[in-house]
């Protein structure tokens, strides 16, 4: 962002502004190298924010769309991460140039400060000193703005990488699940020495390892956040009764503690995401493993050609379908009730649409919790109906093996 121009009496400034200093520093660099760097770092127009890109991918994954490393979504995320890194490289170069200009201003400040103590020095150097201090202030604020943008870029890259990781894991799991499901639908048998069993076991082991590996880190971050919160509250109390300058120093320390807390919360959120993803994918693979085992049991039963046992299994599967139907109905009734709660919360929030308070924050959190619970419930319903579908397929296989059918 361009710096605001310095307001004055209309005279020419004694020292170049921060933006002018940056332009002059860049002009001094090698022209050919500068041209090459600009061509490499030219930013493409962004049609979507990082948040929009990630949200679109998350919605696709929730709907069950098959994404992997070769998908357009993954490639777009990868390109956006590369673009943001180039953006940060450009900011780093600008920061470097501004810091060179800043060193010159600081040297001038020291030189003029020494002259202020000489006879008549204050009157002679007051205007110059004022101008230098203003320039330094502008440069420092511009540097702070650049650093703020870099922080946001770093967070965006992290968000993109987490989403890419999710696609990678999703791709590994769904590829194997689809392969197994397709084989079983074609009526083919999978014996225990088939490669898919080893691949399934390996994936499950990897996901469980990922889950347990971050558990100690989650506990550690929770303890550190609690400790830092206590320190921050103590620092806030110490500000009272201090002089203005001491209070400013204490507030800077307080803000530093709070920023550290935010970073640890973000890290804790990342670790929780890994555990949630691992748990979800373990569930998907465990259901597929169960499907494989049941399919093998059905095949073994068919090979026995024992009509009595086959008929008994059909009855058992029908009973299981009835049980699943009851579970599904109970879950849907519970979700309907929670959905009505969400409408009530939305109505309250709309009545307080111009209010930002502890009450509205609490209501919004309750609304998100209800919506999240419904999302999880829908995923659970899909899994239950998938199990019901398996039962129907198994019944069809068993009925076909009975001579009376």
């Amino acid at each position: 962002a361009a710096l605001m121009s310095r307001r004055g009496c209309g005279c020419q400034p004694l020292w170049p502004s921060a933006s002018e200093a940056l332009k002059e520093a860049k002009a001094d660099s090698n022209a050919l190298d500068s041209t090459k760097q600009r061509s490499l770092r030219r930013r493409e127009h962004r049609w979507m924010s990082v948040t929009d890109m990630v949200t679109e991918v998350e919605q696709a994954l929730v709907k069950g769309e098959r994404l992997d490393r070769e998908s357009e979504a993954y490639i777009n995320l990868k390109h956006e991460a590369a673009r943001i890194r180039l953006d940060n490289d450009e900011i780093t170069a600008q920061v470097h140039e501004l810091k060179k200009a800043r060193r010159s201003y600081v040297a001038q400040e020291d030189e003029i400060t020494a002259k202020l103590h000489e006879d008549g020095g204050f009157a002679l150097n007051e205007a110059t000193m004022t101008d230098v201090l203003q320039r330094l202030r502008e440069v420092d604020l511009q540097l702070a703005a650049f650093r703020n943008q870099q922080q946001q870029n770093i967070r965006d890259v992290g968000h993109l990488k987490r989403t890419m990781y999710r696609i990678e894991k999703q791709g590994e799991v769904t590829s194997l699940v689809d392969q197994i499901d397709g084989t079983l639908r074609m009526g083919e048998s999978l014996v225990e020495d088939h490669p898919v069993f080893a691949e399934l076991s390996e994936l499950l082991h990897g996901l469980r390892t990922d889950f347990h590996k971050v558990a100690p880190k989650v506990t550690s971050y929770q303890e550190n956040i609690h400790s830092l919160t206590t320190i921050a509250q103590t620092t806030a109390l110490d500000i009272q009764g201090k002089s203005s300058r001491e209070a400013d120093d204490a507030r800077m320390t307080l803000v530093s503690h709070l920023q550290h807390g935010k970073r640890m919360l973000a890290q804790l959120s990342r670790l929780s995401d890994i555990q949630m993803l691992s748990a979800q994918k373990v569930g998907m693979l465990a259901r597929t493993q169960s499907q494989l085992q049941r399919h093998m049991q059905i095949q073994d039963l068919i090979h026995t050609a024992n009509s009595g046992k086959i008929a008994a299994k059909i009855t058992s599967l029908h009973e299981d379908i009835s049980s699943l139907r009851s579970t599904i109905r109970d879950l849907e009734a519970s979700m309907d009730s929670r959905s009505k709660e969400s409408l009530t919360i939305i109505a309250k929030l709309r009545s307080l649409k111009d209010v930002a308070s502890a009450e509205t924050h609490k209501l919004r959190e309750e609304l998100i919790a209800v919506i999240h619970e419904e999302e999880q419930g829908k995923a659970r319903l899909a899994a239950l109906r998938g199990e019901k579908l398996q039962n129907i397929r198994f019944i069809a296989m068993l009925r076909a093996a009975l001579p009376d059918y």
Side-chain angles (χ1 to χ4, degrees):
L3 288 169
M4 295 180 63
S5 61
R6 178 174 176 268
R7 294 180 181 177
C9 60
C11 304
Q12 291 292 325
L14 297 174
W15 309 103
S17 67
S19 57
E20 292 168 344
L22 181 58
K23 290 178 182 177
E24 290 176 4
K26 285 183 175 180
D28 292 338
S29 62
N30 182 275
L32 180 59
D33 180 66
S34 179
T35 301
K36 289 181 179 179
Q37 292 299 320
R38 281 196 297 271
S39 66
L40 287 172
R41 293 171 178 163
R42 186 178 293 114
R43 293 181 57 176
E44 297 178 1
H45 182 71
R46 288 179 61 184
W47 294 102
M48 297 179 70
S49 68
V50 169
T51 300
D52 289 340
M53 292 180 70
V54 170
T55 300
E56 189 176 77
V57 170
E58 289 177 346
Q59 290 176 350
L61 293 175
V62 169
K63 288 190 292 185
E65 293 184 20
R66 289 341 194 199
L67 302 179
D68 54 27
R69 291 173 181 267
E70 306 301 322
S71 65
E72 183 180 357
Y74 186 91
I75 294 171
N76 287 341
L77 293 173
K78 190 174 182 178
H79 287 171
E80 180 63 8
R83 188 201 63 77
I84 294 175
R85 291 190 185 100
L86 287 176
D87 192 20
N88 255 5
D89 289 343
E90 178 66 26
I91 293 174
T92 299
Q94 291 177 317
V95 166
H96 176 72
E97 300 298 343
L98 270 181
K99 282 185 174 180
K100 288 200 301 186
R102 187 182 187 281
R103 285 194 291 271
S104 174
Y105 290 152
V106 170
Q108 294 163 10
E109 178 189 19
D110 292 341
E111 181 182 347
I112 297 170
T113 299
K115 293 179 181 180
L116 291 177
H117 299 290
E118 300 174 358
D119 291 340
F122 188 87
L124 289 173
N125 295 286
E126 176 191 358
T128 305
M129 186 62 166
T130 300
D131 195 74
V132 170
L133 292 175
Q134 179 64 20
R135 299 306 178 189
L136 265 173
R137 183 173 180 273
E138 289 177 353
V139 169
D140 284 339
L141 291 175
Q142 179 66 76
L143 285 171
F146 278 145
R147 291 308 193 190
N148 180 270
Q149 182 60 54
Q150 281 187 312
Q151 290 178 54
Q152 184 58 52
N153 286 349
I154 292 169
R155 284 192 291 266
D156 283 347
V157 169
H159 209 178
L160 290 167
K161 289 181 69 176
R162 287 197 297 275
T163 307
M164 290 165 65
Y165 172 81
R166 185 175 177 183
I167 290 177
E168 290 167 9
K169 291 298 181 184
Q170 177 89 354
E172 292 174 359
V173 171
T174 55
S175 175
L176 180 59
V177 168
D178 291 346
Q179 179 186 349
I180 293 172
D181 188 59
T183 302
L184 297 181
R185 283 193 181 195
M186 293 173 63
E188 298 180 15
S189 300
L190 293 173
V191 294
E192 291 187 2
D193 60 349
H194 194 283
V196 295
F197 284 90
E199 189 176 351
L200 182 59
S201 178
E202 184 179 349
L203 266 179
L204 277 169
H205 176 73
L207 289 168
R208 286 172 176 146
T209 300
D210 289 343
F211 182 91
H212 293 298
K213 186 167 61 177
V214 302
K217 296 179 182 179
V218 170
T219 302
S220 176
Y221 271 102
Q222 289 173 338
E223 293 173 351
N224 290 338
I225 289 170
H226 175 74
S227 176
L228 190 62
T229 301
T230 302
I231 295 172
Q233 298 308 315
T234 303
T235 305
L237 291 174
D238 288 344
I239 292 176
Q240 300 177 7
K242 291 189 175 182
S243 66
S244 177
R245 190 174 300 171
E246 289 177 334
D248 277 345
D249 291 340
R251 271 188 287 270
M252 288 292 293
T253 302
L254 173 61
V255 170
S256 178
H257 287 323
L258 295 173
Q259 289 282 15
H260 188 194
K262 284 181 64 177
R263 292 195 300 272
M264 286 198 293
L265 285 170
Q267 182 70 351
L268 181 60
S269 176
R270 185 187 71 83
L271 295 172
S272 297
D273 285 344
I274 292 174
Q275 287 193 310
M276 284 191 293
L277 178 63
S278 297
Q280 290 168 352
K281 300 313 160 196
V282 165
M284 182 180 289
L285 290 174
R287 288 191 294 272
T288 300
Q289 191 176 52
S290 174
Q291 180 185 6
L292 270 174
Q293 292 169 348
R294 296 178 71 200
H295 189 273
M296 290 172 61
Q297 292 169 0
I298 295 296
Q299 289 284 11
D300 290 342
L301 182 57
I302 291 173
H303 290 153
T304 65
N306 188 318
S307 299
K309 289 183 177 180
I310 292 176
K313 186 61 178 178
I314 291 175
T315 302
S316 174
L317 288 171
H318 276 297
E319 291 173 352
D320 194 36
I321 288 175
S322 297
S323 177
L324 284 168
R325 183 185 181 190
S326 177
T327 301
I328 289 171
R329 283 186 171 181
D330 290 343
L331 183 54
E332 287 181 334
S334 174
M335 289 175 58
D336 287 342
S337 175
R338 294 291 281 166
S339 181
K340 291 176 182 177
E341 287 182 35
S342 69
L343 295 176
T344 303
I345 297 172
I346 291 172
K348 290 180 180 178
L349 283 170
R350 293 292 167 81
S351 67
L352 300 168
K353 62 181 181 179
D354 298 322
V355 178
S357 64
E359 180 187 1
T360 57
H361 290 315
K362 183 179 179 181
L363 286 171
R364 196 168 291 109
E365 181 61 30
E366 289 176 359
L367 178 60
I368 292 173
V370 171
I371 293 174
H372 182 258
E373 186 178 323
E374 184 173 358
E375 177 191 339
Q376 293 295 104
K378 294 298 184 184
R380 178 60 181 152
L381 284 172
L384 290 171
R385 288 198 163 94
E387 190 174 343
K388 188 176 178 180
L389 180 59
Q390 289 175 26
N391 285 348
I392 292 172
R393 288 175 180 165
F394 291 150
I395 290 173
M397 291 170 61
L398 292 169
R399 284 165 62 93
L402 287 175
D404 295 340
Y405 291 91

